Amino acid sequence: MRTTYTVVMAVWLLPGIAVSQETAPSPRDPQAAKQLFDLPEASAEEYAQVEGTWELAQDTNAAERQLRVKTHQGGKTTVTAYDVDGKIVSQHASEYKLKRSGMARIFVFFNVVPATGPSKGKKLRGPFYYAYNVQGNRFLEVYGILAGDDRSPRVLRWKRAKK
């Protein structure tokens, strides 16, 4: 818990210093968010840490436990959500880039294509983004802390799927 707290606080406080000097991208302002692509690219080692299959179990209500599985491979991501019976509830694919801003790691994803639901097959260009960190077999998605991201802060803790 302390490690998670330290990482979240570091990701929360330190990027403000670096990001505040840049134009703050907003998920609601696609033109400003495109400036994320001008940030320095992450290293090959950072890409290797992110690649693989990750699982996230979430309780949507007292009776249901939804499993989400995402795979990052070669700059592409697929995210699939399953219901309690193992049936696919939703699925989408996207492309991603890993960027750096000061000490913050930023996951930028774009060209999101839903494979299910009313938006099936329609490309959502983005870009969309969040702060991230990889700690061993955990992948942390941190929303609502980067400049221009006015969502309520939250952290999703994915675990690496066993091979």
Side-chain angles (χ1 to χ4, degrees):
M1 179 69 181
R2 182 182 171 119
T3 302
T4 302
Y5 175 79
T6 302
V7 169
V8 169
M9 289 308 294
V11 170
W12 191 312
L13 297 173
L14 295 176
I17 297 166
V19 175
S20 66
Q21 296 169 357
E22 303 159 2
T23 303
S26 170
R28 294 193 173 97
D29 184 354
Q31 288 303 94
K34 287 180 183 176
Q35 294 177 13
L36 290 165
F37 293 109
D38 296 333
L39 292 173
E41 192 85 14
S43 68
E45 180 182 325
E46 290 170 306
Y47 272 92
Q49 289 175 339
V50 166
E51 288 199 353
T53 300
W54 303 88
E55 296 178 342
L56 176 69
Q58 289 183 298
D59 293 326
T60 54
N61 64 41
E64 295 182 11
R65 185 165 177 93
Q66 189 178 70
L67 174 67
R68 284 198 282 172
V69 177
K70 71 175 175 175
T71 302
H72 300 298
Q73 193 67 43
K76 298 188 184 298
T77 298
T78 301
V79 180
T80 306
Y82 299 91
D83 67 13
V84 293
D85 297 321
K87 294 178 184 169
I88 294 176
V89 175
S90 67
Q91 186 176 58
H92 68 269
S94 63
E95 297 176 56
Y96 71 91
K97 296 278 185 190
L98 303 179
K99 297 294 188 168
R100 285 195 154 263
S101 178
M103 294 179 69
R105 295 176 175 185
I106 303 172
F107 192 102
V108 181
F109 61 105
F110 50 96
N111 294 336
V112 179
V113 181
T116 60
S119 297
K120 180 179 179 177
K122 295 179 184 176
K123 189 181 288 187
L124 310 171
R125 297 202 186 284
F128 309 98
Y129 63 94
Y130 55 82
Y132 80 95
N133 199 2
V134 178
Q135 298 176 333
N137 288 324
R138 289 189 306 170
F139 180 89
L140 304 174
E141 287 183 18
V142 187
Y143 293 91
I145 63 166
L146 295 174
D149 186 351
D150 59 359
R151 295 173 283 189
S152 295
R154 71 179 186 150
V155 177
L156 297 180
R157 293 170 186 87
W158 298 77
K159 67 177 183 176
R160 191 175 298 276
K162 294 181 180 169
K163 294 181 182 185

